[in-house]
Amino acid sequence: MPSSLRLAPQVARLLGPGSILLRALSQESAAADMSVVLVWLREGFRLDDQRPLLEAAQVARELIVVAFDDPGAAQASAWGHPRAGTGRQAFRRRSAMVLDAALEPFGQRLMWMRQDPVEGLVALVRRHRASLLWTHAQPGSEERETLERLSRSLPEGCTLKVAGDNRLLERTPFAVEDWPMSFSRFRRKIEGRVAPEPPLPPPTSLPPPPPPERLERCAAIEPNDRSDAGSLRGGEAAGRARLQHYLFDSDRVSIYKRTRDGLLAFDDSSKLSPWLAHGCLSARRIWAEIERYEREVEANESTGWLHFELLWREYFRWLMDATGSSLFRSAGVADRPPPSRPDAERLAAWREGRTGVPLVDAAMRELAATGYMSNRARQNVASFLVKDLRQDWRAGAAWFEHQLIDYDVASNWGNWAYQAGIGTDTRERWFNVVGQARRYDPDGAYLAHWLPELAALPAAARAAPWTQAVPPADYPGPIVIDPRWA
């Protein structure tokens, strides 16, 4: 194996026969009767399939459920913008509000804090003399470092217990030295050999929080909603409703493979990723519901393809565990980075949807307005930035981190590395952004929707307006033209 593809040192405790728990105690090691237990929900805004809440309910006399505002809102990327944009923050806050309301019938509440999580949690532990802090892991080197910092900072007498993150599998069937770096090998080793555990039921009861006089005041959860985000609204109830609609109410899952590359119709794809990313839905619940659909309705190529997409998400999480921080380097896990010529004006034009290339501009305007774009559009705008504009792929990945409401660290950076050719598969991936528009938006409806300045053109002309005898006056000419677009 090339040196650039060697597994990170920490992978020995993450892969193979062991589980992904960073610092997990056995079920029997928790004391039978804890006085105060904290549950820190990092991105797990749900009651369903929520091991920390279930386990804490068994041992705690008093329970504090706490979450924090997105730390990315106060952190700047290397390209100057906040790491978490307003759309992702709004989705997270609404998800927290919905969970807070769901906890109320249990006599519980969600404490919402706006500070460094480690500092806030240590203060809570000290104030309430908590003996156990339950949380869950997350993929990513920074996320792992936060848990390690928390472990070092907790006072004596408080145990940190860490459940797995929101993935399908808690362990894999292969040894560290046999880790399958490619997705195809990963899939072959997983399918038919390992099945996800059934999702856990939601709790039926929860211990009360400490008396009000002992609880400090917390920040209000303000949704900061964006009215143009369509049906992508945070919260477990909305996620479960979307899952029910896509599988059973509309039966759209039966044609998923045929429609998944659609650009405009909302039900062309499942749109489950925002609720997955924020932990409003568990991956195991989605997997189980697809299997239920297959038992009760039908199993076909499309249901298998949706399982396939969940395996891609799973693969990127295990890959990030295996490679540490490599996927954040310009060269990724390859030997050299793709060629680039940094140009602030080109990068800004790409971000703002004014490159003069309609498919790219329409997708980037959709992203700005809704915090979302289809997978087909994501591949095209990534290819255009890296292959046609020759910009640093990490600038694109960081912009997606800022804009996407379904941002997932492993899927985002893994997919961008894959597109840039510096992931585990280094084959050339160039997308003909004009040909793709003609193929996947043949009537030009998507382009006209997001680029109204092109609506007056014939549908066939919208993919390449510069070829018209009189191009639209209010739409820019292309900043690059590739002869292969013809």
Side-chain angles (χ1 to χ4, degrees), residues 272-334:
L272 294 172
S273 56
W275 293 285
L276 258 177
H278 292 267
C280 304
L281 287 175
S282 85
R284 298 193 305 186
R285 175 61 64 190
I286 296 175
W287 187 276
E289 287 297 284
I290 299 169
E291 290 188 326
R292 182 166 74 90
Y293 177 91
E294 291 177 328
R295 291 192 306 270
E296 297 179 4
V297 185
E298 68 168 326
N300 62 18
E301 190 177 26
S302 287
T303 59
W305 203 265
L306 198 54
H307 274 136
F308 175 79
E309 299 290 2
L310 286 171
L311 284 179
W312 261 110
R313 177 182 181 274
E314 188 79 1
Y315 163 73
F316 281 129
R317 286 178 171 247
W318 286 99
L319 178 65
M320 186 158 279
D321 287 346
T323 57
S325 59
S326 294
L327 287 176
F328 303 104
R329 300 187 306 121
S330 60
V333 297

Side-chain angles (χ1 to χ4, degrees), residues 219-236:
I221 309 173
E222 299 169 358
N224 189 27
D225 242 342
R226 302 197 311 180
S227 59
D228 53 6
S231 300
L232 300 175
R233 296 169 68 83
E236 182 176 13

Side-chain angles (χ1 to χ4, degrees), residues 176-219:
V176 174
E177 62 273 11
D178 192 35
W179 168 249
M181 294 297 286
S182 73
F183 172 72
S184 58
R185 288 189 62 217
F186 176 85
R187 181 187 178 194
R188 285 195 300 269
K189 286 178 175 286
I190 291 293
E191 285 187 324
R193 299 180 60 187
V194 180
E197 292 292 325
L200 298 169
T204 56
S205 64
L206 291 173
E213 65 271 14
R214 286 170 46 203
L215 280 175
E216 49 269 75
R217 294 173 61 87
C218 290

Side-chain angles (χ1 to χ4, degrees), residues 6-14 176 321-324:
R6 288 177 187 155
L7 302 183
Q10 65 267 31
V11 77
R13 58 196 168 120
L14 297 173
V176 174
D321 287 346
T323 57

